[in-house]
Amino acid sequence: MIAIGNLALYLALATSLYAIAASSYGALARRKEFVASGEHAAYATWGLVTIATIVMVNALMTNDFTIKYVAAYTSTTLPTRFRFTALWGGMEGSLLFWTLILTSFTSLAQFQNRNRNRELMPYVTATASTVAVFFVSLLVFLTPPFALLARPPVEGTDLNPLLQNYWMQIHPPALYLGYVSWTIPFGFAIGALVTGRLDDLWIRTSRRWCLMAWFFLSLGNLFGARWAYEVLGWGGYWAWDPVENAAFMPLLTGTAYLHSVMIQERKDMLKVWNMTLIILTFALTIFGTFLTRSGVISSVHSFTESGLGPYFLTFLAFILVFSFGLVTYRLRELRPRHQLDSLLSRESAFLFNNLLLVGIAFATLWGTIFPVLSEWVRGVKITVGPPFFNRVNGPLAVALLLLMGVGPVIAWRRATFRNLVDNFFKPTALGLGCGAFGFALGMRSLSAILVVSFSAFVLCTVAAEFHSGARARVTMVGETYTTALIGLFRKNQRRYGGYVIHVGVVFMFLGVTMSSVYRVEELHTVKKGERFTIGRYTLEYQDSANKDDSHMAQLIATLAVYEDENLITTLYPEKRFYKRPEQPATEVDMRSTMRDDLYVVLGSLDDRGIATFQAYVNPLVWWLWFGGVVLVVGTGIAAFPSRKAAFRERARETSVIRRQQA
Amino acid sequence: MIKRVLASLTVLALLGGTAPVDVRAAMSASQVEEALTCQCGCGLTVHSCNHLECSFAVPARKDIAESLARGESGEQIINRYKLKYGEKVLSSPLPEGFNLLAWIAPYAAIFLVGALMLVLFRRQIGKRAPGSRSEADDLPPYPDHSTPAMDERRTRLRKEVEDLER
């Protein structure tokens, strides 16, 4: 089996190299048979990488400790569900998994476009295969996943206990799906640059890929935050760790791209900017992979130092030089056909939204690499931690929230004073009212008051958009209000799905701000039967229990939670001791409500039954996760517009209006 | 208009610029803990370190509380840690010397790009001579073949569509 895995990877390297050559030659020489042959080679690469992955998964499931990777990341006592997780638990497996996703997406994009976009497709195949060559080369020459041990151990080292969590089963795959999906739009962009088809064809064709990439990157970030919240036990969910930043940056530039392409589609402007954004987003996904695997920047998330850094940097430099070289070559053809009509317009609001998004991405990148710069320039190691990122990115994020309310409502082309008053008077009044109400309730943090005000402003503008749309349908088509609202979604899923996403993001802003500013945390050491109070909760330490099996030992405390002397729940925070590798871990328990989370960590528990608990009350943090759910729903609506449904809806409207006219 | 937007960008830059101002004169224990990075490798601040028995954060928190109670200022405590562990113990770079670049560069970049955008777009808009045609003017006119009833309905429809397009 191991020989099959190795052979599959060697052959995958050969087929992906052939795919680049055949697709490029076929496209340049206009030889269809070579283009087809290149596509077949890309399908073959996918098949071969799939075989290698199946061999690896089989080895993980059957504890084949002759393979170094399997011995390092599994054990006989590791629950089966986590053995599959071990595929992305280490460097070699994660690179193999990455390559599997990449080749699968390449095949999917080829299949989707088998009868269309034939001019661009050879370059998509060649671009994606170039990326595949890089990753397969790493697997073949530098980090072979099927490397054998001279003396296989009887028992494996086991998976890192922090990864033995259900969020870790879905967080890395979601993130990888997000990272890798950007390769396809990037391929279309390269195709457009090479062929000179610089209209919005490549944008329309790759739109769903972009949304999918954005969606999975958002989910990956959210799942990671939730994992940190549940597993790391510090009461927070985002620490501005370099690897977290690496996943956050392409999300920001990708969001900027999704907004600015609307201007290109509508006004044929910003072609250079959109090309720049898609190139930067793709480059940032490779930069993120470099950060995790190079050891250049220390991070709790990173794999061990591997020496892969220079290869990633070289590949990154190649991508940037080649892509921006093409942009420069096509600069004359990328000139806009139209110009901005006014600075007070939706186009302008989108541009400033782009400025802020890319500004936050730059600030994050700058803070992430600054320690390395400092060491190069001054020879002094420094830390750039959460306080820096919060202070620098905080004001930018708040300004972005405000623009989120302005963008969808301000008029295209040119807003008049009347238009501004009509659209913004009520939302502004509501925003100011909510800010004042918060102040009256005792809120004294400027950032919290601003976020509450701006959130109310955004929600009001979104609600007004839905209301005016529905009202128009009620008037024109004579529908009921509810049917009109549903009709809005059917007719323009992209636009109204986008608004739903904005609502989700507002909820996330509220959750993050309130839980950061108004978090309460206390450390209490108590005996059995004793009580302590945090916020509106009283906790009684009732009992403790021990559990021990071959995989881990557990200390479990029982805490009764009272509110106004009424028992509302019982919490069971745990302290775990994993046996292979020997490592302690905390298992947080919490009571989560829309108002706040009571979050309890068991710090220590001695033989006399005296326990130390770190307890937190995190206000409104539930809204962060709920915002994520709303974002998922909104993306689903925006990403999969049904042309048939929109057509039926328009036909129905037309027939009703005609009947009215008759 | 351009001046107002530039002024807003300046305010934004200044808001960011105020961030690194040294506010360590009267710091609480949690503020001092937030200003120091835990050296256990967790990557978090002393305040947030998730290891309840951490060999660095736990003694540091105790030391900070005791030092503040003794009358030592937050700044003195932070300086003491800086002398002992080096600059890497600070959770964010001090706004001085080369490190000032860390604080200034993001806002300077946003300010410069924003200003450049404004100037470029202002020039684009200004280039259009008064009375020149914009894209909106190139749209075909509404055909005129209707009854007064249809006119009224069309006017209403157009208004609703304009509302929707806003």
Side-chain angles (χ1 to χ4, degrees):
Chain A
M1 284 295 275
I2 295 165
I4 293 172
N6 276 323
L7 181 65
L9 287 178
Y10 277 103
L11 288 174
L13 181 59
T15 51
S16 48
L17 278 167
Y18 176 77
I20 301 171
S23 300
S24 306
Y25 174 72
L28 294 170
R30 299 189 180 280
R31 300 274 299 269
K32 282 183 182 174
E33 67 275 21
F34 276 92
V35 171
S37 179
E39 287 190 351
H40 294 154
Y43 284 126
T45 309
W46 170 53
L48 290 162
V49 174
T50 306
I51 290 171
T53 311
I54 290 170
V55 171
M56 175 55 85
V57 170
N58 178 58
L60 291 167
M61 292 296 175
T62 55
N63 294 318
D64 184 353
F65 296 140
T66 55
I67 298 174
K68 194 176 164 188
Y69 185 82
V70 178
Y73 295 103
T74 63
S75 73
T76 52
T77 56
L78 183 68
T80 309
R81 64 182 186 281
F82 292 128
R83 286 195 197 156
F84 192 77
T85 312
L87 179 61
W88 48 84
M91 169 85 76
E92 297 85 348
S94 71
L95 287 176
L96 180 61
F97 184 52
W98 181 289
T99 314
L100 175 70
I101 298 172
L102 173 66
T103 51
S104 306
F105 283 177
T106 310
S107 298
L108 183 60
Q110 285 184 167
F111 183 73
Q112 276 181 333
N113 292 280
R114 61 195 181 283
N115 297 321
R116 54 185 177 168
N117 304 318
R118 298 309 304 163
E119 200 180 349
L120 298 181
M121 279 317 291
Y123 298 103
V124 178
T125 302
T127 307
S129 297
T130 305
V131 183
V133 164
F134 174 70
F135 280 96
V136 177
S137 299
L138 294 181
L139 289 169
V140 168
F141 301 115
L142 297 167
T143 55
F146 301 107
L148 298 175
L149 286 170
R151 285 186 193 168
V154 179
E155 184 55 281
T157 312
D158 216 341
L159 187 65
N160 184 334
L162 291 176
L163 304 183
Q164 295 179 33
N165 176 279
Y166 49 88
W167 290 109
M168 262 300 147
Q169 290 180 291
I170 54 176
H171 159 58
L175 212 51
Y176 287 12
L177 287 170
Y179 272 150
V180 179
S181 307
W182 285 111
T183 311
I184 305 300
F186 174 71
F188 275 104
I190 294 296
L193 286 168
V194 174
T195 58
R197 282 290 309 267
L198 297 165
D199 53 15
D200 57 1
L201 172 74
W202 73 272
I203 286 177
R204 279 188 282 111
T205 307
S206 60
R207 185 178 159 267
R208 274 191 192 170
W209 282 101
C210 291
L211 270 173
M212 186 171 92
W214 183 87
F215 170 71
F216 279 115
L217 257 187
S218 306
L219 273 193
N221 276 286
L222 265 174
F223 289 163
R226 183 72 199 187
W227 168 78
Y229 191 56
E230 283 192 11
V231 174
L232 297 184
W234 57 284
Y237 37 79
W238 193 265
W240 295 105
D241 178 89
V243 172
E244 292 172 356
N245 295 348
F248 187 48
M249 288 183 286
L251 181 64
L252 291 165
T253 52
T255 309
Y257 170 80
L258 285 173
H259 285 86
S260 67
V261 286
M262 284 188 240
I263 300 182
Q264 180 169 342
E265 285 175 278
R266 200 179 170 91
K267 299 203 64 167
D268 209 23
M269 288 170 61
L270 303 181
K271 287 180 175 178
V272 177
W273 179 239
N274 286 329
M275 281 290 177
T276 305
L277 281 178
I278 201 78
I279 293 167
L280 281 182
T281 304
F282 175 69
L284 282 170
T285 64
I286 300 296
F287 180 73
T289 325
F290 155 74
L291 271 190
T292 339
R293 289 163 176 82
S294 63
V296 168
I297 292 168
S298 62
S299 158
V300 282
H301 296 69
S302 56
F303 296 97
T304 49
E305 287 187 31
S306 63
L308 292 187
Y311 298 97
F312 270 99
L313 274 187
T314 309
F315 185 55
L316 192 60
F318 166 71
I319 289 166
L320 291 173
V321 170
F322 179 74
S323 313
F324 283 116
L326 279 175
V327 172
T328 312
Y329 175 68
R330 294 283 182 194
L331 211 51
R332 184 181 286 270
E333 295 150 82
L334 287 167
R335 275 195 307 211
R337 284 176 53 206
H338 298 288
Q339 293 176 335
L340 208 65
D341 287 290
S342 164
L343 282 172
L344 268 182
S345 60
R346 191 177 297 188
E347 293 90 324
S348 182
F350 274 30
L351 284 172
F352 282 99
N353 141 305
N354 265 236
L355 176 67
L356 289 174
L357 283 165
V358 176
I360 297 172
F362 173 70
T364 307
L365 176 68
W366 185 244
T368 306
I369 61 169
F370 198 79
V372 180
L373 282 181
S374 168
E375 205 165 351
W376 280 351
V377 176
R378 298 168 60 214
V380 176
K381 272 192 178 178
I382 64 159
T383 307
V384 178
F388 171 86
F389 291 103
N390 290 337
R391 283 182 201 163
V392 172
N393 285 341
L396 298 175
V398 172
L400 191 63
L401 178 63
L402 177 67
L403 272 184
M404 224 164 72
V406 174
V409 182
I410 194 167
W412 285 104
R413 297 199 296 261
R414 187 182 294 121
T416 59
F417 180 72
R418 183 77 225 160
N419 169 265
L420 291 177
V421 171
D422 282 353
N423 291 326
F424 293 113
F425 180 73
K426 284 180 191 169
T428 307
L430 183 76
L432 288 173
C434 285
F437 185 66
F439 188 80
L441 285 179
M443 279 169 55
R444 291 296 179 267
S445 156
L446 177 65
S447 56
I449 291 173
L450 284 177
V451 167
V452 166
S453 298
F454 292 171
S455 297
F457 173 77
V458 178
L459 292 176
C460 187
T461 55
V462 171
E465 277 292 279
F466 276 104
H467 176 66
S468 64
R471 200 188 51 194
R473 289 181 65 88
V474 169
T475 314
M476 283 195 302
V477 192
E479 292 172 329
T480 63
Y481 194 80
T482 317
T483 319
L485 270 178
I486 296 166
L488 281 182
F489 278 109
R490 281 203 189 130
K491 196 175 167 187
N492 199 341
Q493 283 178 254
R494 184 178 172 183
R495 176 176 171 183
Y496 290 96
Y499 290 156
V500 174
I501 294 173
H502 279 194
V503 171
V505 175
V506 168
F507 290 158
M508 291 161 90
F509 259 96
L510 282 170
V512 168
T513 309
M514 293 304 161
S515 62
S516 307
V517 175
Y518 294 108
R519 183 166 85 170
V520 179
E521 55 179 283
E522 288 175 15
L523 188 71
H524 290 275
T525 301
V526 284
K527 291 178 197 164
K528 273 184 194 171
E530 282 186 348
R531 290 182 169 200
F532 62 92
T533 301
I534 178 164
R536 61 199 168 98
Y537 300 105
T538 300
L539 287 81
E540 182 181 290
Y541 170 37
Q542 292 185 324
D543 202 2
S544 63
N546 293 318
K547 278 186 187 175
D548 200 347
D549 61 27
S550 58
H551 187 52
M552 64 176 155
Q554 293 162 275
L555 283 172
I556 307 166
T558 307
L559 282 166
V561 181
Y562 298 89
E563 189 182 354
D564 300 328
E565 289 303 316
N566 298 316
L567 179 69
I568 50 170
T569 190
T570 305
L571 297 179
Y572 302 95
E574 286 181 37
K575 209 164 168 55
R576 290 180 174 178
F577 300 92
Y578 287 88
K579 295 182 176 173
R580 262 184 315 271
E582 288 185 0
Q583 190 173 318
T586 53
E587 191 72 9
V588 171
D589 203 3
M590 66 183 105
R591 177 182 186 263
S592 190
T593 64
M594 288 163 80
R595 185 174 164 186
D596 57 29
D597 277 17
L598 172 65
Y599 178 104
V600 183
V601 185
L602 173 61
S604 62
L605 184 60
D606 69 17
D607 298 338
R608 295 166 297 161
I610 295 174
T612 303
F613 297 98
Q614 179 87 36
Y616 303 82
V617 174
N618 292 325
L620 302 187
V621 73
W622 181 88
W623 292 90
L624 167 60
W625 319 118
F626 180 67
V629 175
V630 176
L631 185 139
V632 168
V633 173
T635 314
I637 294 168
F640 299 103
S642 162
R643 283 184 192 164
K644 278 184 189 168
F647 181 76
R648 275 200 301 269
E649 199 57 41
R650 283 199 189 97
R652 199 169 69 83
E653 270 177 25
T654 312
S655 72
V656 170
I657 291 170
R658 278 191 185 144
R659 270 204 307 276
Q660 285 176 353
Q661 286 173 345
Chain B
M1 174 64 198
I2 193 165
K3 281 181 187 164
R4 261 179 284 163
V5 184
L6 275 170
S8 311
L9 279 170
T10 312
V11 169
L12 198 65
L14 286 174
L15 270 174
T18 58
V21 167
D22 205 343
V23 289
R24 288 181 278 162
M27 298 170 83
S28 66
S30 61
Q31 283 174 315
V32 179
E33 289 167 12
E34 277 293 337
L36 299 170
T37 300
C38 182
Q39 300 298 299
C40 75
C42 66
L44 298 166
T45 61
V46 166
H47 184 73
S48 304
C49 174
N50 58 332
H51 302 129
L52 288 177
E53 291 157 14
C54 176
S55 59
F56 185 87
V58 173
R61 283 184 206 133
K62 192 171 170 232
D63 174 54
I64 291 164
E66 287 171 358
S67 303
L68 285 172
R70 274 200 311 269
E72 203 176 346
S73 72
E75 189 173 7
Q76 286 170 324
I77 298 168
I78 291 168
N79 280 337
R80 185 154 50 78
Y81 275 84
K82 187 185 154 195
L83 279 175
K84 189 170 178 185
Y85 296 97
E87 271 188 55
K88 66 178 181 344
V89 82
L90 305 178
S91 62
S92 48
L94 285 176
E96 58 189 31
F98 179 75
N99 289 344
L100 204 54
L101 205 58
W103 294 98
I104 291 172
Y107 278 90
I110 291 170
F111 182 78
L112 284 177
V113 175
L116 190 70
M117 270 168 56
L118 280 176
V119 171
L120 281 176
F121 290 130
R122 188 72 192 160
R123 197 175 290 171
Q124 271 187 13
I125 295 163
K127 261 186 189 172
R128 218 170 283 138
S132 70
R133 296 169 70 77
S134 81
E135 169 197 14
D137 303 320
D138 297 334
L139 295 172
Y142 287 97
D144 185 21
H145 50 80
S146 55
T147 62
M150 276 180 76
D151 274 349
E152 187 197 330
R153 203 179 296 278
R154 187 174 290 120
T155 307
R156 203 178 75 202
L157 196 64
R158 194 187 305 166
K159 187 176 177 310
E160 298 292 358
V161 169
E162 276 170 6
D163 277 351
L164 271 174
E165 283 289 309
R166 270 202 317 251

